[in-house]
Each structure stands twice: as structure tokens, then as C-alpha cells.
Amino acid sequence: MTPVFANSAFVSAPERLVVRSGGRHPLRFKVRYGVHQHPTAGLVLIDTGYGPRVTEGSGRSLPLRIYASLLRPTLIEEHQPTRVLDRLGASTADVAAIVLTHFHADHVAALHLFPKARIYAKAAVHARIEARSRFSNLRHGVFNELLPQDLSSRIVDIDKLSVKPAPNGLGEGADLFGDGETLAVNLPGHAEGHFGICFAAQPVPLLYAVDTQWCTAALDPGKAPGLPAALVASDRRALAASSRRVAAFREQCGDVLLCHDPSDSPYDLPEVPQ
């Protein structure tokens, strides 16, 4: 099955914040998460997108309230996980695994809906999150309240999986399900442990490069954003190197999809007919 990507929310920001020399006009950035039916691993999500735990409710911490008020994500109800799974003839109980590319709020907000799913993630990164104070985690863009308390017991550590070569010179990736078809490829720089997913067995190899950039245009030479966008990167040099690798993969005729790119993609879940 070709993976599909739902859009959990829109976030608006000027183009110039995410593309060097971009315009002042606002773009509506998507907040994607993936759904993949793997032949042996079962129904797999790639991250979980934004959800009501970020935008609603009196139980939210003050920092999470401030975060939501600054970014002002507009949730897309028909693309929330329960609605998408129902549309695909499944339910939250059918989700066998979630691949967690990193621990930012817009990727983990719906984890609570899947208390039995295995979580493919970097165990060392999660251990550092648990060891730090909540305040220190905020500096890394992580909100402890969005992470299930039993997460450590459910993690399948991708750093301990065997590795296989990814196509188009991308390098090696962790073989998530043991068949060489779904590879977790390290793309550092945006956040601690950030990685993308290469669907190597697709007719045209697909790299879901997550948050390596927010716009595909920013992968072009000289188009990566400067300040203030660079300030939120965990490692600016590593991010620049990851962007070059993703661009090189695309130049060798691979498909690239980014979490927040505002353009429609053939991998996007079609809108529900009105």
C-alpha cells in the first residue's frame, strides 16, 4: 500500500519566514501525519499531527496555552486520526505501530488515542527527555504532558534495528519492519533525533523528510531560511547538511514530501467530497 498523509491542521505564517527572499504574504502550512498499511507490521501511523490536547481544554499547562496562542493551529476535524481511520475502514484499536520521527507537539499530540500501539522512536532521545526538567524540555520544543507515561515501555528503539541502504544515495536507514522497504533515515538538525522515512519499495522512492524544511522551495540552493527560523533548529549546520541530502535525493528523481509544505501532494489523503 502506498502511504497516505492526512492534514491535521493549518498554521499560517509569512512565506519569508521559511524561504529565503520569500514574500510577506501568508501561507497556510499543513501539519501532516502518515497512514501506512504494511503487509506484516499492520496498520502504521507516522506521527499523529496536531489535536485538541494542544488547542483546547482547561487542563493544559500555561506553556502549552502560550504555544497554542502563538502558533494558532486550526484543526481539520475530518483529518483527525479517529475520523481518518474510520474513513479507511479502521479504528484506533487497529493501529499496531506509530513511527515517531521526533517529539515536538505537532507530531505527538494524539498519542493518547493509541495506548496499545508500539512506538518506533529513538529511545536515547526519550530517555533524555525524561531526565530533564519540564522547563528544560520546553527549550527543546517538547511538552511532557503530551507524552504517555508508559511511553518508555512501548518504544521499539530504531537505533538498535539493522540498517539497509536507502536509494538515490541517501545513505543507510534503520529497517523498521525487517523487509528493507520502510527505512528510518537520520536527518538531524531540526530537533533531537529527527529522522525521515524512506519508502524504498515504491515505484518512485518516496522520502518523507518531515521537518527538514517547511517548504519544498527551501530545499533549492540558497533558499533555506535564515533568522529567525534558524534559531529554532537544534543544530543549524546539521540541518543544512540534511537539507542538501534531501535535495540530492530529489535531484535523483526521488519523491520528497515535507510535513508542512503548503502545496498539495499526490500522497495527500483526498478531501471528503462535499
PDB file of all heavy atoms in Angstrom, residues 47 100-104 107 122 125 128 158 184-197 208-213 234 238-239 242 245-246 258-260:
ATOM      1  N   ASP A  47       3.872   9.560  13.007  1.00  0.00           N
ATOM      2  CA  ASP A  47       3.483  10.686  13.840  1.00  0.00           C
ATOM      3  C   ASP A  47       1.955  10.716  13.997  1.00  0.00           C
ATOM      4  O   ASP A  47       1.248   9.818  13.517  1.00  0.00           O
ATOM      5  CB  ASP A  47       4.029  12.008  13.308  1.00  0.00           C
ATOM      6  CG  ASP A  47       5.554  12.039  13.268  1.00  0.00           C
ATOM      7  OD1 ASP A  47       6.177  11.429  14.148  1.00  0.00           O
ATOM      8  OD2 ASP A  47       6.118  12.660  12.349  1.00  0.00           O
ATOM      9  N   LEU A 100       7.542   7.528  15.385  1.00  0.00           N
ATOM     10  CA  LEU A 100       7.602   8.874  15.943  1.00  0.00           C
ATOM     11  C   LEU A 100       8.911   9.528  15.509  1.00  0.00           C
ATOM     12  O   LEU A 100       9.977   9.243  16.057  1.00  0.00           O
ATOM     13  CB  LEU A 100       7.502   8.793  17.469  1.00  0.00           C
ATOM     14  CG  LEU A 100       7.045  10.034  18.214  1.00  0.00           C
ATOM     15  CD1 LEU A 100       5.670  10.481  17.738  1.00  0.00           C
ATOM     16  CD2 LEU A 100       7.031   9.760  19.711  1.00  0.00           C
ATOM     17  N   THR A 101       8.814  10.427  14.512  1.00  0.00           N
ATOM     18  CA  THR A 101      10.022  10.987  13.918  1.00  0.00           C
ATOM     19  C   THR A 101      10.758  11.939  14.854  1.00  0.00           C
ATOM     20  O   THR A 101      11.972  12.098  14.733  1.00  0.00           O
ATOM     21  CB  THR A 101       9.692  11.727  12.618  1.00  0.00           C
ATOM     22  OG1 THR A 101       8.821  12.845  12.906  1.00  0.00           O
ATOM     23  CG2 THR A 101       9.001  10.796  11.623  1.00  0.00           C
ATOM     24  N   HIS A 102      10.041  12.589  15.743  1.00  0.00           N
ATOM     25  CA  HIS A 102      10.624  13.392  16.816  1.00  0.00           C
ATOM     26  C   HIS A 102       9.490  13.756  17.768  1.00  0.00           C
ATOM     27  O   HIS A 102       8.343  13.360  17.550  1.00  0.00           O
ATOM     28  CB  HIS A 102      11.372  14.620  16.285  1.00  0.00           C
ATOM     29  CG  HIS A 102      10.577  15.592  15.476  1.00  0.00           C
ATOM     30  ND1 HIS A 102       9.965  15.274  14.277  1.00  0.00           N
ATOM     31  CD2 HIS A 102      10.293  16.912  15.688  1.00  0.00           C
ATOM     32  CE1 HIS A 102       9.353  16.337  13.782  1.00  0.00           C
ATOM     33  NE2 HIS A 102       9.524  17.340  14.633  1.00  0.00           N
ATOM     34  N   PHE A 103       9.820  14.496  18.831  1.00  0.00           N
ATOM     35  CA  PHE A 103       8.896  14.619  19.954  1.00  0.00           C
ATOM     36  C   PHE A 103       8.220  15.986  20.052  1.00  0.00           C
ATOM     37  O   PHE A 103       7.688  16.331  21.106  1.00  0.00           O
ATOM     38  CB  PHE A 103       9.633  14.299  21.266  1.00  0.00           C
ATOM     39  CG  PHE A 103      10.036  12.852  21.378  1.00  0.00           C
ATOM     40  CD1 PHE A 103      11.238  12.410  20.856  1.00  0.00           C
ATOM     41  CD2 PHE A 103       9.205  11.927  21.991  1.00  0.00           C
ATOM     42  CE1 PHE A 103      11.609  11.071  20.960  1.00  0.00           C
ATOM     43  CE2 PHE A 103       9.551  10.592  22.104  1.00  0.00           C
ATOM     44  CZ  PHE A 103      10.769  10.165  21.576  1.00  0.00           C
ATOM     45  N   HIS A 104       8.197  16.772  18.994  1.00  0.00           N
ATOM     46  CA  HIS A 104       7.515  18.070  19.032  1.00  0.00           C
ATOM     47  C   HIS A 104       5.998  17.880  19.092  1.00  0.00           C
ATOM     48  O   HIS A 104       5.457  16.863  18.651  1.00  0.00           O
ATOM     49  CB  HIS A 104       7.892  18.900  17.813  1.00  0.00           C
ATOM     50  CG  HIS A 104       9.261  19.498  17.906  1.00  0.00           C
ATOM     51  ND1 HIS A 104       9.865  20.166  16.855  1.00  0.00           N
ATOM     52  CD2 HIS A 104      10.162  19.535  18.928  1.00  0.00           C
ATOM     53  CE1 HIS A 104      11.067  20.596  17.233  1.00  0.00           C
ATOM     54  NE2 HIS A 104      11.266  20.221  18.476  1.00  0.00           N
ATOM     55  N   HIS A 107       3.626  16.550  16.398  1.00  0.00           N
ATOM     56  CA  HIS A 107       3.860  15.169  15.960  1.00  0.00           C
ATOM     57  C   HIS A 107       3.399  14.145  16.991  1.00  0.00           C
ATOM     58  O   HIS A 107       3.295  12.960  16.658  1.00  0.00           O
ATOM     59  CB  HIS A 107       5.340  14.966  15.631  1.00  0.00           C
ATOM     60  CG  HIS A 107       5.804  15.828  14.498  1.00  0.00           C
ATOM     61  ND1 HIS A 107       5.876  15.380  13.198  1.00  0.00           N
ATOM     62  CD2 HIS A 107       6.163  17.135  14.474  1.00  0.00           C
ATOM     63  CE1 HIS A 107       6.280  16.371  12.417  1.00  0.00           C
ATOM     64  NE2 HIS A 107       6.451  17.447  13.170  1.00  0.00           N
ATOM     65  N   LYS A 122      13.461   6.896  18.906  1.00  0.00           N
ATOM     66  CA  LYS A 122      14.822   6.833  19.438  1.00  0.00           C
ATOM     67  C   LYS A 122      14.751   6.818  20.963  1.00  0.00           C
ATOM     68  O   LYS A 122      14.409   7.817  21.594  1.00  0.00           O
ATOM     69  CB  LYS A 122      15.643   8.014  18.932  1.00  0.00           C
ATOM     70  CG  LYS A 122      16.021   7.897  17.459  1.00  0.00           C
ATOM     71  CD  LYS A 122      16.870   9.070  17.009  1.00  0.00           C
ATOM     72  CE  LYS A 122      17.377   8.842  15.582  1.00  0.00           C
ATOM     73  NZ  LYS A 122      18.530   7.954  15.533  1.00  0.00           N
ATOM     74  N   VAL A 125      16.830   9.466  22.933  1.00  0.00           N
ATOM     75  CA  VAL A 125      16.247  10.809  22.964  1.00  0.00           C
ATOM     76  C   VAL A 125      15.136  10.872  24.000  1.00  0.00           C
ATOM     77  O   VAL A 125      15.061  11.822  24.797  1.00  0.00           O
ATOM     78  CB  VAL A 125      15.718  11.209  21.577  1.00  0.00           C
ATOM     79  CG1 VAL A 125      14.998  12.553  21.639  1.00  0.00           C
ATOM     80  CG2 VAL A 125      16.862  11.278  20.570  1.00  0.00           C
ATOM     81  N   ARG A 128      16.533  11.097  27.473  1.00  0.00           N
ATOM     82  CA  ARG A 128      16.992  12.450  27.828  1.00  0.00           C
ATOM     83  C   ARG A 128      15.814  13.345  28.176  1.00  0.00           C
ATOM     84  O   ARG A 128      15.893  14.178  29.095  1.00  0.00           O
ATOM     85  CB  ARG A 128      17.807  13.046  26.681  1.00  0.00           C
ATOM     86  CG  ARG A 128      19.172  12.409  26.504  1.00  0.00           C
ATOM     87  CD  ARG A 128      20.083  13.248  25.633  1.00  0.00           C
ATOM     88  NE  ARG A 128      19.672  13.289  24.240  1.00  0.00           N
ATOM     89  CZ  ARG A 128      20.055  12.407  23.324  1.00  0.00           C
ATOM     90  NH1 ARG A 128      20.840  11.391  23.663  1.00  0.00           N
ATOM     91  NH2 ARG A 128      19.652  12.515  22.072  1.00  0.00           N
ATOM     92  N   ILE A 158      14.730   2.404  17.367  1.00  0.00           N
ATOM     93  CA  ILE A 158      15.167   2.274  15.979  1.00  0.00           C
ATOM     94  C   ILE A 158      16.683   2.235  15.867  1.00  0.00           C
ATOM     95  O   ILE A 158      17.217   1.720  14.869  1.00  0.00           O
ATOM     96  CB  ILE A 158      14.575   3.380  15.079  1.00  0.00           C
ATOM     97  CG1 ILE A 158      15.174   4.741  15.411  1.00  0.00           C
ATOM     98  CG2 ILE A 158      13.062   3.419  15.166  1.00  0.00           C
ATOM     99  CD1 ILE A 158      14.872   5.776  14.359  1.00  0.00           C
ATOM    100  N   ALA A 184      14.075   4.220   8.355  1.00  0.00           N
ATOM    101  CA  ALA A 184      14.180   5.456   9.134  1.00  0.00           C
ATOM    102  C   ALA A 184      15.567   6.042   8.893  1.00  0.00           C
ATOM    103  O   ALA A 184      16.579   5.451   9.287  1.00  0.00           O
ATOM    104  CB  ALA A 184      13.954   5.179  10.609  1.00  0.00           C
ATOM    105  N   VAL A 185      15.615   7.197   8.242  1.00  0.00           N
ATOM    106  CA  VAL A 185      16.873   7.816   7.824  1.00  0.00           C
ATOM    107  C   VAL A 185      17.132   9.044   8.681  1.00  0.00           C
ATOM    108  O   VAL A 185      16.308   9.968   8.731  1.00  0.00           O
ATOM    109  CB  VAL A 185      16.811   8.211   6.334  1.00  0.00           C
ATOM    110  CG1 VAL A 185      18.105   8.882   5.898  1.00  0.00           C
ATOM    111  CG2 VAL A 185      16.523   6.986   5.471  1.00  0.00           C
ATOM    112  N   ASN A 186      18.262   9.072   9.363  1.00  0.00           N
ATOM    113  CA  ASN A 186      18.599  10.210  10.202  1.00  0.00           C
ATOM    114  C   ASN A 186      18.711  11.480   9.371  1.00  0.00           C
ATOM    115  O   ASN A 186      19.445  11.522   8.375  1.00  0.00           O
ATOM    116  CB  ASN A 186      19.914   9.962  10.937  1.00  0.00           C
ATOM    117  CG  ASN A 186      19.787   8.934  12.040  1.00  0.00           C
ATOM    118  OD1 ASN A 186      18.744   8.836  12.692  1.00  0.00           O
ATOM    119  ND2 ASN A 186      20.831   8.157  12.257  1.00  0.00           N
ATOM    120  N   LEU A 187      17.975  12.506   9.795  1.00  0.00           N
ATOM    121  CA  LEU A 187      18.037  13.832   9.169  1.00  0.00           C
ATOM    122  C   LEU A 187      18.168  14.862  10.290  1.00  0.00           C
ATOM    123  O   LEU A 187      17.223  15.588  10.612  1.00  0.00           O
ATOM    124  CB  LEU A 187      16.778  14.094   8.327  1.00  0.00           C
ATOM    125  CG  LEU A 187      16.592  13.213   7.087  1.00  0.00           C
ATOM    126  CD1 LEU A 187      15.217  13.456   6.464  1.00  0.00           C
ATOM    127  CD2 LEU A 187      17.696  13.458   6.063  1.00  0.00           C
ATOM    128  N   PRO A 188      19.315  14.926  10.921  1.00  0.00           N
ATOM    129  CA  PRO A 188      19.468  15.761  12.119  1.00  0.00           C
ATOM    130  C   PRO A 188      19.419  17.248  11.806  1.00  0.00           C
ATOM    131  O   PRO A 188      19.592  17.686  10.680  1.00  0.00           O
ATOM    132  CB  PRO A 188      20.842  15.349  12.644  1.00  0.00           C
ATOM    133  CG  PRO A 188      21.581  14.879  11.429  1.00  0.00           C
ATOM    134  CD  PRO A 188      20.551  14.220  10.557  1.00  0.00           C
ATOM    135  N   GLY A 189      19.198  18.012  12.875  1.00  0.00           N
ATOM    136  CA  GLY A 189      19.272  19.463  12.787  1.00  0.00           C
ATOM    137  C   GLY A 189      18.027  20.180  13.236  1.00  0.00           C
ATOM    138  O   GLY A 189      18.105  21.200  13.917  1.00  0.00           O
ATOM    139  N   HIS A 190      16.852  19.649  12.862  1.00  0.00           N
ATOM    140  CA  HIS A 190      15.613  20.322  13.249  1.00  0.00           C
ATOM    141  C   HIS A 190      15.319  20.114  14.728  1.00  0.00           C
ATOM    142  O   HIS A 190      14.928  21.059  15.430  1.00  0.00           O
ATOM    143  CB  HIS A 190      14.449  19.804  12.413  1.00  0.00           C
ATOM    144  CG  HIS A 190      13.105  20.218  12.930  1.00  0.00           C
ATOM    145  ND1 HIS A 190      12.653  21.521  12.857  1.00  0.00           N
ATOM    146  CD2 HIS A 190      12.110  19.509  13.549  1.00  0.00           C
ATOM    147  CE1 HIS A 190      11.452  21.598  13.396  1.00  0.00           C
ATOM    148  NE2 HIS A 190      11.103  20.396  13.831  1.00  0.00           N
ATOM    149  N   ALA A 191      15.459  18.899  15.201  1.00  0.00           N
ATOM    150  CA  ALA A 191      15.151  18.562  16.584  1.00  0.00           C
ATOM    151  C   ALA A 191      16.006  17.378  16.993  1.00  0.00           C
ATOM    152  O   ALA A 191      16.579  16.676  16.156  1.00  0.00           O
ATOM    153  CB  ALA A 191      13.666  18.228  16.737  1.00  0.00           C
ATOM    154  N   GLU A 192      16.076  17.132  18.289  1.00  0.00           N
ATOM    155  CA  GLU A 192      16.815  15.973  18.785  1.00  0.00           C
ATOM    156  C   GLU A 192      16.320  14.691  18.107  1.00  0.00           C
ATOM    157  O   GLU A 192      15.134  14.385  18.146  1.00  0.00           O
ATOM    158  CB  GLU A 192      16.600  15.812  20.282  1.00  0.00           C
ATOM    159  CG  GLU A 192      17.397  16.727  21.161  1.00  0.00           C
ATOM    160  CD  GLU A 192      17.196  16.377  22.627  1.00  0.00           C
ATOM    161  OE1 GLU A 192      16.097  16.642  23.149  1.00  0.00           O
ATOM    162  OE2 GLU A 192      18.124  15.833  23.245  1.00  0.00           O
ATOM    163  N   GLY A 193      17.232  13.961  17.498  1.00  0.00           N
ATOM    164  CA  GLY A 193      16.892  12.662  16.944  1.00  0.00           C
ATOM    165  C   GLY A 193      15.997  12.679  15.727  1.00  0.00           C
ATOM    166  O   GLY A 193      15.476  11.631  15.335  1.00  0.00           O
ATOM    167  N   HIS A 194      15.803  13.817  15.108  1.00  0.00           N
ATOM    168  CA  HIS A 194      14.890  13.932  13.965  1.00  0.00           C
ATOM    169  C   HIS A 194      15.302  12.993  12.846  1.00  0.00           C
ATOM    170  O   HIS A 194      16.465  12.938  12.447  1.00  0.00           O
ATOM    171  CB  HIS A 194      14.907  15.385  13.472  1.00  0.00           C
ATOM    172  CG  HIS A 194      14.030  15.661  12.291  1.00  0.00           C
ATOM    173  ND1 HIS A 194      14.475  15.541  10.989  1.00  0.00           N
ATOM    174  CD2 HIS A 194      12.736  16.055  12.203  1.00  0.00           C
ATOM    175  CE1 HIS A 194      13.507  15.871  10.156  1.00  0.00           C
ATOM    176  NE2 HIS A 194      12.435  16.180  10.870  1.00  0.00           N
ATOM    177  N   PHE A 195      14.340  12.219  12.341  1.00  0.00           N
ATOM    178  CA  PHE A 195      14.617  11.343  11.204  1.00  0.00           C
ATOM    179  C   PHE A 195      13.445  11.351  10.246  1.00  0.00           C
ATOM    180  O   PHE A 195      12.314  11.692  10.608  1.00  0.00           O
ATOM    181  CB  PHE A 195      14.935   9.907  11.657  1.00  0.00           C
ATOM    182  CG  PHE A 195      13.821   9.194  12.399  1.00  0.00           C
ATOM    183  CD1 PHE A 195      12.852   8.471  11.724  1.00  0.00           C
ATOM    184  CD2 PHE A 195      13.772   9.222  13.789  1.00  0.00           C
ATOM    185  CE1 PHE A 195      11.842   7.799  12.404  1.00  0.00           C
ATOM    186  CE2 PHE A 195      12.764   8.556  14.484  1.00  0.00           C
ATOM    187  CZ  PHE A 195      11.792   7.844  13.792  1.00  0.00           C
ATOM    188  N   GLY A 196      13.721  10.980   8.991  1.00  0.00           N
ATOM    189  CA  GLY A 196      12.690  10.858   7.978  1.00  0.00           C
ATOM    190  C   GLY A 196      12.428   9.396   7.675  1.00  0.00           C
ATOM    191  O   GLY A 196      13.107   8.501   8.179  1.00  0.00           O
ATOM    192  N   ILE A 197      11.425   9.156   6.831  1.00  0.00           N
ATOM    193  CA  ILE A 197      11.047   7.800   6.451  1.00  0.00           C
ATOM    194  C   ILE A 197      11.176   7.667   4.936  1.00  0.00           C
ATOM    195  O   ILE A 197      10.559   8.428   4.180  1.00  0.00           O
ATOM    196  CB  ILE A 197       9.604   7.464   6.869  1.00  0.00           C
ATOM    197  CG1 ILE A 197       9.402   7.728   8.357  1.00  0.00           C
ATOM    198  CG2 ILE A 197       9.276   6.019   6.518  1.00  0.00           C
ATOM    199  CD1 ILE A 197      10.224   6.852   9.262  1.00  0.00           C
ATOM    200  N   TYR A 208       9.780  10.813   3.076  1.00  0.00           N
ATOM    201  CA  TYR A 208       9.051  11.746   3.926  1.00  0.00           C
ATOM    202  C   TYR A 208      10.096  12.401   4.824  1.00  0.00           C
ATOM    203  O   TYR A 208      10.573  11.801   5.788  1.00  0.00           O
ATOM    204  CB  TYR A 208       7.995  11.017   4.737  1.00  0.00           C
ATOM    205  CG  TYR A 208       7.179  11.929   5.631  1.00  0.00           C
ATOM    206  CD1 TYR A 208       6.592  13.082   5.125  1.00  0.00           C
ATOM    207  CD2 TYR A 208       7.000  11.640   6.993  1.00  0.00           C
ATOM    208  CE1 TYR A 208       5.864  13.929   5.940  1.00  0.00           C
ATOM    209  CE2 TYR A 208       6.257  12.476   7.808  1.00  0.00           C
ATOM    210  CZ  TYR A 208       5.694  13.613   7.279  1.00  0.00           C
ATOM    211  OH  TYR A 208       4.965  14.464   8.093  1.00  0.00           O
ATOM    212  N   ALA A 209      10.481  13.621   4.473  1.00  0.00           N
ATOM    213  CA  ALA A 209      11.583  14.305   5.137  1.00  0.00           C
ATOM    214  C   ALA A 209      11.127  15.152   6.314  1.00  0.00           C
ATOM    215  O   ALA A 209      11.926  15.920   6.875  1.00  0.00           O
ATOM    216  CB  ALA A 209      12.352  15.167   4.135  1.00  0.00           C
ATOM    217  N   VAL A 210       9.880  15.047   6.670  1.00  0.00           N
ATOM    218  CA  VAL A 210       9.275  15.608   7.886  1.00  0.00           C
ATOM    219  C   VAL A 210       9.561  17.108   7.977  1.00  0.00           C
ATOM    220  O   VAL A 210       9.084  17.884   7.158  1.00  0.00           O
ATOM    221  CB  VAL A 210       9.727  14.843   9.149  1.00  0.00           C
ATOM    222  CG1 VAL A 210       8.751  15.091  10.302  1.00  0.00           C
ATOM    223  CG2 VAL A 210       9.809  13.329   8.897  1.00  0.00           C
ATOM    224  N   ASP A 211      10.377  17.544   8.940  1.00  0.00           N
ATOM    225  CA  ASP A 211      10.594  18.976   9.177  1.00  0.00           C
ATOM    226  C   ASP A 211      11.982  19.428   8.767  1.00  0.00           C
ATOM    227  O   ASP A 211      12.488  20.428   9.293  1.00  0.00           O
ATOM    228  CB  ASP A 211      10.378  19.295  10.662  1.00  0.00           C
ATOM    229  CG  ASP A 211       8.922  19.222  11.067  1.00  0.00           C
ATOM    230  OD1 ASP A 211       8.070  18.953  10.210  1.00  0.00           O
ATOM    231  OD2 ASP A 211       8.631  19.420  12.272  1.00  0.00           O
ATOM    232  N   THR A 212      12.609  18.722   7.832  1.00  0.00           N
ATOM    233  CA  THR A 212      13.921  19.172   7.359  1.00  0.00           C
ATOM    234  C   THR A 212      13.829  20.600   6.842  1.00  0.00           C
ATOM    235  O   THR A 212      14.731  21.413   7.072  1.00  0.00           O
ATOM    236  CB  THR A 212      14.447  18.228   6.267  1.00  0.00           C
ATOM    237  OG1 THR A 212      14.510  16.900   6.796  1.00  0.00           O
ATOM    238  CG2 THR A 212      15.823  18.651   5.805  1.00  0.00           C
ATOM    239  N   GLN A 213      12.756  20.900   6.138  1.00  0.00           N
ATOM    240  CA  GLN A 213      12.356  22.271   5.812  1.00  0.00           C
ATOM    241  C   GLN A 213      10.835  22.317   5.878  1.00  0.00           C
ATOM    242  O   GLN A 213      10.175  21.275   5.930  1.00  0.00           O
ATOM    243  CB  GLN A 213      12.850  22.711   4.436  1.00  0.00           C
ATOM    244  CG  GLN A 213      14.353  22.853   4.307  1.00  0.00           C
ATOM    245  CD  GLN A 213      14.930  23.981   5.142  1.00  0.00           C
ATOM    246  OE1 GLN A 213      14.220  24.874   5.611  1.00  0.00           O
ATOM    247  NE2 GLN A 213      16.244  23.957   5.328  1.00  0.00           N
ATOM    248  N   SER A 234      17.818  22.737  16.249  1.00  0.00           N
ATOM    249  CA  SER A 234      18.694  22.235  17.307  1.00  0.00           C
ATOM    250  C   SER A 234      20.156  22.297  16.900  1.00  0.00           C
ATOM    251  O   SER A 234      21.039  22.407  17.750  1.00  0.00           O
ATOM    252  CB  SER A 234      18.312  20.796  17.667  1.00  0.00           C
ATOM    253  OG  SER A 234      18.554  19.918  16.582  1.00  0.00           O
ATOM    254  N   ALA A 238      23.926  20.950  10.999  1.00  0.00           N
ATOM    255  CA  ALA A 238      23.380  19.627  10.696  1.00  0.00           C
ATOM    256  C   ALA A 238      22.123  19.753   9.846  1.00  0.00           C
ATOM    257  O   ALA A 238      21.895  18.952   8.926  1.00  0.00           O
ATOM    258  CB  ALA A 238      23.074  18.867  11.986  1.00  0.00           C
ATOM    259  N   LEU A 239      21.307  20.767  10.134  1.00  0.00           N
ATOM    260  CA  LEU A 239      20.097  20.976   9.349  1.00  0.00           C
ATOM    261  C   LEU A 239      20.440  21.312   7.907  1.00  0.00           C
ATOM    262  O   LEU A 239      19.796  20.803   6.964  1.00  0.00           O
ATOM    263  CB  LEU A 239      19.264  22.098   9.970  1.00  0.00           C
ATOM    264  CG  LEU A 239      17.922  22.391   9.285  1.00  0.00           C
ATOM    265  CD1 LEU A 239      17.006  21.181   9.350  1.00  0.00           C
ATOM    266  CD2 LEU A 239      17.244  23.603   9.931  1.00  0.00           C
ATOM    267  N   SER A 242      21.461  18.099   6.233  1.00  0.00           N
ATOM    268  CA  SER A 242      20.291  17.256   5.972  1.00  0.00           C
ATOM    269  C   SER A 242      19.505  17.785   4.780  1.00  0.00           C
ATOM    270  O   SER A 242      19.023  17.004   3.945  1.00  0.00           O
ATOM    271  CB  SER A 242      19.389  17.207   7.217  1.00  0.00           C
ATOM    272  OG  SER A 242      20.024  16.539   8.287  1.00  0.00           O
ATOM    273  N   ARG A 245      21.146  16.696   1.600  1.00  0.00           N
ATOM    274  CA  ARG A 245      20.914  15.275   1.312  1.00  0.00           C
ATOM    275  C   ARG A 245      19.516  15.059   0.725  1.00  0.00           C
ATOM    276  O   ARG A 245      19.335  14.291  -0.222  1.00  0.00           O
ATOM    277  CB  ARG A 245      21.072  14.451   2.584  1.00  0.00           C
ATOM    278  CG  ARG A 245      22.506  14.267   3.037  1.00  0.00           C
ATOM    279  CD  ARG A 245      22.543  13.567   4.368  1.00  0.00           C
ATOM    280  NE  ARG A 245      21.966  12.249   4.310  1.00  0.00           N
ATOM    281  CZ  ARG A 245      21.404  11.634   5.348  1.00  0.00           C
ATOM    282  NH1 ARG A 245      21.327  12.252   6.528  1.00  0.00           N
ATOM    283  NH2 ARG A 245      20.908  10.419   5.218  1.00  0.00           N
ATOM    284  N   VAL A 246      18.530  15.728   1.303  1.00  0.00           N
ATOM    285  CA  VAL A 246      17.161  15.587   0.798  1.00  0.00           C
ATOM    286  C   VAL A 246      17.068  16.148  -0.616  1.00  0.00           C
ATOM    287  O   VAL A 246      16.431  15.553  -1.499  1.00  0.00           O
ATOM    288  CB  VAL A 246      16.170  16.290   1.749  1.00  0.00           C
ATOM    289  CG1 VAL A 246      14.759  16.298   1.152  1.00  0.00           C
ATOM    290  CG2 VAL A 246      16.163  15.607   3.114  1.00  0.00           C
ATOM    291  N   LEU A 258       7.307  16.925   2.597  1.00  0.00           N
ATOM    292  CA  LEU A 258       7.597  17.571   3.875  1.00  0.00           C
ATOM    293  C   LEU A 258       6.313  17.702   4.686  1.00  0.00           C
ATOM    294  O   LEU A 258       5.235  17.869   4.114  1.00  0.00           O
ATOM    295  CB  LEU A 258       8.201  18.959   3.641  1.00  0.00           C
ATOM    296  CG  LEU A 258       9.522  18.984   2.869  1.00  0.00           C
ATOM    297  CD1 LEU A 258       9.863  20.418   2.465  1.00  0.00           C
ATOM    298  CD2 LEU A 258      10.648  18.379   3.690  1.00  0.00           C
ATOM    299  N   CYS A 259       6.452  17.660   5.987  1.00  0.00           N
ATOM    300  CA  CYS A 259       5.276  17.707   6.861  1.00  0.00           C
ATOM    301  C   CYS A 259       4.443  18.957   6.624  1.00  0.00           C
ATOM    302  O   CYS A 259       3.213  18.886   6.578  1.00  0.00           O
ATOM    303  CB  CYS A 259       5.722  17.636   8.320  1.00  0.00           C
ATOM    304  SG  CYS A 259       4.373  17.777   9.514  1.00  0.00           S
ATOM    305  N   HIS A 260       5.105  20.100   6.472  1.00  0.00           N
ATOM    306  CA  HIS A 260       4.378  21.373   6.496  1.00  0.00           C
ATOM    307  C   HIS A 260       4.238  22.038   5.135  1.00  0.00           C
ATOM    308  O   HIS A 260       3.665  23.137   5.055  1.00  0.00           O
ATOM    309  CB  HIS A 260       5.067  22.332   7.468  1.00  0.00           C
ATOM    310  CG  HIS A 260       5.137  21.822   8.869  1.00  0.00           C
ATOM    311  ND1 HIS A 260       4.012  21.558   9.606  1.00  0.00           N
ATOM    312  CD2 HIS A 260       6.203  21.495   9.651  1.00  0.00           C
ATOM    313  CE1 HIS A 260       4.377  21.114  10.799  1.00  0.00           C
ATOM    314  NE2 HIS A 260       5.692  21.053  10.850  1.00  0.00           N
TER     315      HIS A 260
END
